[in-house]
Amino acid sequence: MAKILKKKTIADKITWYELDAPRIARKRKPGQFVIVRPCEGGERIPLTIADADPEKGSITLVVQEVGKTTAYMGRELEEGGDMLDVVGPLGTATHIPDTPGRILAIAGGLGIAPLYPILKGFKEKGHEVTVILGARSKDLFIMRDMTATLVDKLLICTDDGSEGYHGLVTEVEKQLLESGEKFDEIIAIGPAIMMKFCVETARPFGVPITVSLNTIMIDGTGMCGGCRVQYGGGDKFVCVDGPEFDGYQVNFDRMMQRQAAYVGQEKKAYHDYLCRLEAKAQQIEATEREEAVS
Amino acid sequence: MSEIKKETLTEEQLRERIEHRDEYSNKDKLKMAKVWWREQKPEDRVKNTDEVPFRLSELEAQAEAVRCMDCIKKNCVAGCPVAIDVPAMLRLVGEGDFRGAVRKMKETNVLPAITGRVCPQETQCQAVCLMSKAHKSTDEAVSIGKVEAFLADWERENGVEIPECAPPTGKQVAVIGGGPAGLTCAADLARLGHGVTILEAFHKLGGVLVYGIPEFRLPKKIVEAEIGILGEMGVKFEPNVVVGQTVTIDELLEEEGYDAVFVATGAGLPWFMDLPGEDLNNVYSANEYLTRANLMNAYKYGTEADTPIADSKRLAVIGGGNVAMDSARTAIRLGVPEVWLIYRRTEAEMPARLEEIHHAKEEGVKLHLLTSPVEYTGNDNGFVKSMKLQRMELGEPDASGRRRPVPIEGAIEEFDVDTVVVSIGNGANPLIPRTTPGLDTNQRKGTIVVDFERFMTSRPAVFAGGDIVVGASTVIMAMGHGRTAAASIHQYLQDGEWAGNGQAN
Ligand SMILES: Cc1cc2nc3c(=O)[nH]c(=O)nc-3n(C[C@H](O)[C@H](O)[C@H](O)COP(=O)(O)OP(=O)(O)OC[C@H]3O[C@@H](n4cnc5c(N)ncnc54)[C@H](O)[C@@H]3O)c2cc1C
Ligand code: FES
């Protein structure tokens, strides 16, 4: 059980949680994640640790509502209440070389949340970090100011052109690489499709690229194999072998298919949940109205 | 099994037998009819997750216990990995002294409600029972397991005696893993007065008992009740702690003040076959399929549980062991219309318990023998749609004494499926060895190396037992390890002597 110390909505359907989890806060390293189960009967879902305060004993999670479990968390869990189960830190930590180099980090949408602690790790070791941050529209950026103050160069791009470069993160990536800028490593975190194209863009330039995979998981300890992805010649378990991998070896198409394994059931569960919430709200409203009348 | 006559005795017959229990000679007993338990009918049980056998009634348990000849050899005691004094226990049951029988049983077995249900008695105590020998059939053995389960259930309903614990010694032991090995070790250490904390990776304790073995073989409320008793004995539980990640063994010993550690993390690493297409959607490991169904309650998806599972029409389980049977029978209860078992040898070589194979067939599981998958193919969305099976024939016996399956060249067939559950076994999970410097493992199997007398590892103050030291085994074997290890830890906590270890198993 972990107490929810702070909870706030930071953008449309994106919630920021600060949880009381002293052991995890002390132990976690950039790149690692936790698995949470919000309530009895709830599902176990992996979430990256976006930040941690070892002294306070707290960890930060940034969660986008994409289905029933995340909707329940955002709408029904309250500050001061509890997250039923939190286990971690899981996965291996990001490899951050001791000798400073030049890093290009690319984040799409919510990808900045898992990327942030990694950037912090690189900065602590004196690396020079350039970040490309992409979103559909300028109102959808999260953690943007804190990223800007942390890194050496921040490039913004939006799908709708409302701010910065009008286009995709991969286009900015390509321009940078073509302009002759030299990077020791690229790190891309975001939707699978974005990571796939970041890898394809980097390939002709031969720059090493690391990606962070977010597959479906249950235990997170290597016990079920549900998180496996095709990697190089064989399969890897993302929860223990990852979540970070050499992007050139990952079969993204298969991974995206695996992510969608339960999409039909999940859509229905999400829809049913929203309907139930709606019905509940209407009922409360109706009783309130009745009470007001009588 | 269906061939044998399962006569049921009338209440009068049972009473009469019990009344005259002291008058029978061994010859009489050999002729005495076995008291068969009743079972849910296959057509009913496939629609629920209740247990298959009904519990023996008090009279039935008593009358069955009377069959014990109380022979001098007591093979059953030697056949039991935790050496329950079976004849003494049965004598007390025969007399109707259930409380006394429970105490006798619990002298060496702390989880009888569980072992009574899941132990392979037909290869252990009941295999060597004089009744089996005399009749040349293990079916005729005294039903030790059923009596054991009866007693444990009787106790749960008539008031459980919480074992007395010695005064606190001030020593603290961390038990890693809440499966049968860890639970047994914890119970024994608590009785000896040591402070015990069980650290468990999952949100719930029980290990394979809660995530693997299905509800219809072992109701989860029984496991919860047994674990509850440990709580009352003062054992502390810390779920959601993955040792090696959340905290390391070194930290437990050096920073968190534990005096000793018992590693009982089980054999939780699913084996796959490395076949093309094995990563397709709806190709599961048995661990994943069973965990979704059992621990996460996927069969209540949409109402009480949020973890989905494939909505299958034609499912194939690969393997012929108990885990394969559990997977197939779980699929049946999830409403899968067609469930197949794909096994590379014949039914005679299947490692699963006869009773399980029999139950599976009764419930409609179909066998497809002498075949083994070599490739899976998927549809455009990446879901498995068929597999290529290699036909086999039986060759010479292998190391296990079973005839080896040999591929018939060119004999490949296509088999349509929409779900596959790979159930070919589990290895040792490498998480703890990887994060504990100096902890020796068996190079080939990855199991932690211990001596099997004191269960000491190559690291001082670190003990290990259960599946993590032998690979996938049995509940009772894990419990036996837990018990011996507890005694060994107790001794170590008193004299501080470390015999050391590091030889290969
Ligand atoms: C489906 C299935 C059916 C079976 N049926 C039978 C049967 O009918 N009869 C029988 O006798 N045997 C059966 N077995 C085998 C039996 O369950 C095992 O031999 C037994 O459970 C082993 O006990 P254990 O305590 O060593 O490990 P487990 O029961 O595997 O328990 C290990 C525990 O440790 C936890 N753990 C793992 N790593 C860590 C870590 N790093 N930190 C903290 N915790 C950790 C795990 O989550 C788990 O809870 C079956 C096994 C399976 C999979
Ligand atoms: S989530 Fe189960 S093995 Fe990775």
Side-chain angles (χ1 to χ4, degrees):
Chain A
M1 197 104 81
K3 200 175 173 68
I4 302 170
L5 302 172
K6 221 179 259 166
K7 179 188 170 203
K8 58 183 182 210
T9 307
I10 55 168
D12 182 34
K13 293 196 172 164
I14 297 179
T15 314
W16 166 290
Y17 302 86
E18 203 181 311
L19 304 179
D20 181 45
R23 262 189 173 146
I24 304 175
R26 217 177 324 131
K27 225 32 222 269
R28 70 92 219 192
K29 294 207 175 68
Q32 291 187 300
F33 62 96
V34 290
I35 285 185
V36 307
R37 190 176 73 120
C39 56
E40 256 337 307
E43 175 184 27
R44 294 171 62 101
I45 59 165
L47 298 167
T48 310
I49 304 168
D51 208 352
D53 184 338
E55 257 132 66
K56 200 170 158 198
S58 67
I59 58 168
T60 302
L61 307 176
V62 178
V63 185
Q64 183 169 30
E65 178 175 319
V66 290
K68 167 164 180 205
T69 304
T70 46
Y72 170 84
M73 285 170 54
R75 292 160 193 248
E76 296 194 58
L77 288 181
E78 281 167 20
E79 198 170 284
D82 291 311
M83 184 76 80
L84 186 58
D85 295 298
V86 182
V87 58
L90 300 170
T92 52
T94 309
H95 174 69
I96 303 174
D98 289 328
T99 29
R102 296 195 78 223
I103 304 298
L104 173 62
I106 309 169
L110 196 71
I112 186 61
L115 185 61
Y116 184 75
I118 297 172
L119 298 179
K120 237 174 148 180
F122 273 100
K123 281 313 294 175
E124 274 160 18
K125 287 201 180 166
H127 293 260
E128 187 190 329
V129 180
T130 301
V131 175
I132 307 171
L133 208 55
R136 262 181 293 122
S137 182
K138 75 173 202 273
D139 301 329
L140 297 173
F141 284 109
I142 58 163
M143 302 171 73
R144 187 179 135 169
D145 295 343
M146 51 198 283
T147 308
T149 51
L150 180 70
V151 303
D152 301 278
K153 193 157 138 200
L154 179 64
L155 303 165
I156 295 287
C157 56
T158 49
D159 293 0
D160 64 358
S162 52
E163 192 186 340
Y165 178 81
H166 185 176
L168 303 171
V169 287
T170 44
E171 290 159 23
V172 182
E173 176 193 5
K174 190 161 177 219
Q175 284 169 11
L176 276 179
L177 294 172
E178 274 176 348
S179 75
E181 281 222 46
K182 289 275 173 278
F183 294 100
D184 298 298
E185 187 183 347
I186 303 175
I187 300 168
I189 306 184
I193 186 81
M194 179 208 100
M195 292 192 282
K196 175 182 165 170
F197 285 106
C198 287
V199 169
E200 287 322 311
T201 306
R203 201 183 291 274
F205 299 92
V207 188
I209 177 162
T210 301
V211 294
S212 177
L213 305 183
N214 51 338
T215 53
I216 294 173
M217 292 188 191
I218 302 185
D219 55 301
T221 64
M223 189 279 280
C224 75
C227 60
R228 66 198 189 279
V229 290
Q230 232 184 62
Y231 183 82
D235 287 348
K236 290 264 186 214
F237 288 9
V238 172
C239 71
V240 284
D241 301 324
E244 288 173 15
F245 291 97
D246 168 7
Y248 294 127
Q249 313 267 342
V250 175
N251 183 337
F252 284 101
D253 294 335
R254 278 295 304 127
M255 178 187 142
M256 284 185 265
Q257 289 181 330
R258 280 189 74 82
Q259 285 178 325
Y262 302 100
V263 83
Q265 281 149 293
E266 284 164 351
K267 264 198 189 134
K268 182 168 183 311
Y270 186 25
H271 175 258
D272 291 352
Y273 172 73
L274 294 181
C275 291
R276 275 204 303 279
L277 267 192
E278 177 100 346
K280 221 191 315 183
Q282 279 176 1
Q283 200 173 356
I284 293 171
E285 217 173 277
T287 23
E288 274 171 1
R289 232 180 295 128
E290 257 170 50
E291 274 165 13
V293 171
S294 60
Chain B
M1 263 191 96
S2 47
E3 310 83 60
I4 41 165
K5 270 199 291 180
K6 294 191 177 179
E7 295 169 64
T8 38
L9 303 179
T10 64
E11 198 182 313
E12 242 156 89
Q13 287 171 310
L14 295 173
R15 283 189 194 283
E16 176 163 331
R17 181 188 292 181
I18 296 163
E19 201 173 308
H20 299 284
R21 63 179 176 273
D22 296 328
E23 297 158 27
Y24 302 114
S25 68
N26 278 356
K27 241 192 204 151
D28 297 333
K29 289 194 177 182
L30 278 172
K31 277 185 267 168
M32 220 173 239
K34 173 159 171 148
V35 182
W36 284 100
W37 58 91
R38 286 154 298 128
E39 290 185 345
Q40 267 203 82
K41 286 205 215 70
E43 57 272 30
D44 297 335
R45 67 187 196 235
V46 297
K47 294 192 213 101
N48 63 50
T49 52
D50 299 340
E51 278 189 273
V52 173
F54 290 109
R55 195 199 306 174
L56 296 178
S57 68
E58 294 193 2
L59 281 182
E60 286 169 335
Q62 260 184 287
E64 177 63 6
V66 168
R67 288 178 70 226
C68 173
M69 294 185 278
D70 205 358
C71 57
I72 325 163
K73 281 209 171 156
K74 298 189 199 303
N75 287 335
C76 50
V77 182
C80 171
V82 296
I84 299 181
D85 188 346
V86 178
M89 173 186 91
L90 291 175
R91 203 177 318 118
L92 290 162
V93 174
E95 289 164 7
D97 179 1
F98 301 135
R99 181 65 72 188
V102 167
R103 288 190 191 127
K104 185 50 68 190
M105 171 173 78
K106 286 199 149 177
E107 279 173 12
T108 65
N109 184 337
V110 288
L111 304 170
I114 293 164
T115 51
R117 290 177 166 82
V118 306
C119 264
Q121 288 97 6
E122 71 283 359
T123 63
Q124 300 181 161
C125 54
Q126 293 179 194
V128 291
C129 171
L130 213 53
M131 280 286 177
S132 304
K133 300 223 152 149
H135 289 282
K136 296 200 171 56
S137 159
T138 51
D139 283 327
E140 287 297 331
V142 178
S143 306
I144 302 168
K146 290 288 184 288
V147 173
E148 189 185 344
F150 158 81
L151 281 174
D153 294 347
W154 180 91
E155 189 198 21
R156 205 172 48 256
E157 282 152 24
N158 290 274
V160 175
E161 289 180 342
I162 306 297
E164 284 206 16
C165 297
T169 59
K171 302 282 187 191
Q172 296 293 331
V173 183
V175 169
I176 308 173
L183 295 173
T184 309
C185 185
D188 279 3
L189 287 170
R191 266 200 240 184
L192 293 164
H194 303 299
V196 189
T197 305
I198 302 182
L199 307 162
E200 165 58 48
F202 264 126
H203 54 266
K204 207 168 174 183
L205 269 77
V208 171
L209 307 177
V210 297
Y211 76 70
I213 302 180
E215 176 79 16
F216 57 84
R217 281 215 295 129
L218 180 63
K220 299 309 151 223
K221 67 174 194 321
I222 288 178
V223 182
E224 274 162 29
E226 299 275 357
I227 291 169
I229 297 171
L230 292 198
E232 290 191 46
M233 290 166 69
V235 174
K236 291 197 216 69
F237 306 130
E238 280 199 46
N240 295 323
V241 175
V242 181
V243 175
Q245 297 280 114
T246 315
V247 60
T248 62
I249 287 185
D250 289 296
E251 288 162 342
L252 289 173
L253 290 169
E254 284 155 27
E255 291 166 26
E256 300 210 5
Y258 288 102
D259 300 292
V261 172
F262 180 57
V263 183
T265 46
L269 181 76
W271 284 334
F272 286 95
M273 296 164 81
D274 269 337
L275 302 179
E278 213 170 25
D279 72 318
L280 285 165
N281 295 8
N282 287 0
V283 177
Y284 292 93
S285 71
N287 282 1
E288 183 184 359
Y289 195 73
L290 289 169
T291 301
R292 283 180 181 273
N294 294 325
L295 182 71
M296 306 309 292
N297 284 335
Y299 57 91
K300 296 183 190 155
Y301 185 73
T303 53
E304 288 166 53
D306 294 336
T307 303
I309 198 161
D311 180 11
S312 321
K313 298 284 172 285
R314 197 170 140 96
L315 175 146
V317 177
I318 315 296
N322 288 315
V323 182
M325 298 302 149
D326 282 346
S327 306
R329 297 175 65 200
T330 295
I332 292 269
R333 282 160 179 79
L334 282 163
V336 182
E338 225 182 301
V339 179
W340 287 90
L341 262 177
I342 311 289
Y343 183 55
R344 61 201 179 120
R345 307 187 213 222
T346 73
E347 194 179 331
E349 287 85 20
M350 281 193 177
R353 298 175 67 181
L354 280 180
E355 186 181 342
E356 302 304 324
I357 301 173
H358 170 75
H359 280 151
K361 289 204 304 199
E362 273 187 344
E363 289 163 11
V365 174
K366 295 182 208 152
L367 309 186
H368 193 59
L369 303 165
L370 287 168
T371 52
S372 182
V374 287
E375 186 181 341
Y376 302 102
T377 38
N379 66 17
D380 292 343
N381 297 322
F383 285 81
V384 66
K385 67 169 199 225
S386 78
M387 51 186 180
K388 281 199 172 59
L389 296 177
Q390 165 72 56
R391 291 213 63 89
M392 304 282 191
E393 59 192 356
L394 289 184
E396 296 300 308
D398 64 9
S400 72
R402 295 174 304 171
R403 293 180 64 192
R404 191 193 306 270
V406 185
I408 303 171
E409 207 178 317
I412 301 278
E413 61 178 281
E414 203 62 35
F415 195 94
D416 287 344
V417 279
D418 63 14
T419 311
V420 173
V421 180
V422 181
S423 176
I424 57 158
N426 281 301
N429 193 311
L431 205 56
I432 294 229
R434 206 154 65 188
T435 54
T436 314
L439 189 68
D440 288 353
T441 52
N442 177 299
Q443 295 238 313
R444 194 173 47 85
K445 294 193 289 183
T447 47
I448 296 177
V449 177
V450 292
D451 67 274
F452 283 87
E453 271 155 42
R454 298 202 57 192
F455 290 90
M456 289 172 159
T457 68
S458 56
R459 277 288 307 268
V462 181
F463 298 75
D467 279 2
I468 187 66
V469 303
V470 286
S473 172
T474 59
V475 170
I476 192 77
M477 167 78 83
M479 286 173 52
H481 286 185
R483 156 144 292 207
T484 316
S488 168
I489 292 169
H490 179 59
Q491 195 185 329
Y492 166 73
L493 291 176
Q494 286 173 318
D495 63 21
E497 264 173 46
W498 191 258
N501 187 268
Q503 296 95 43
N505 287 353

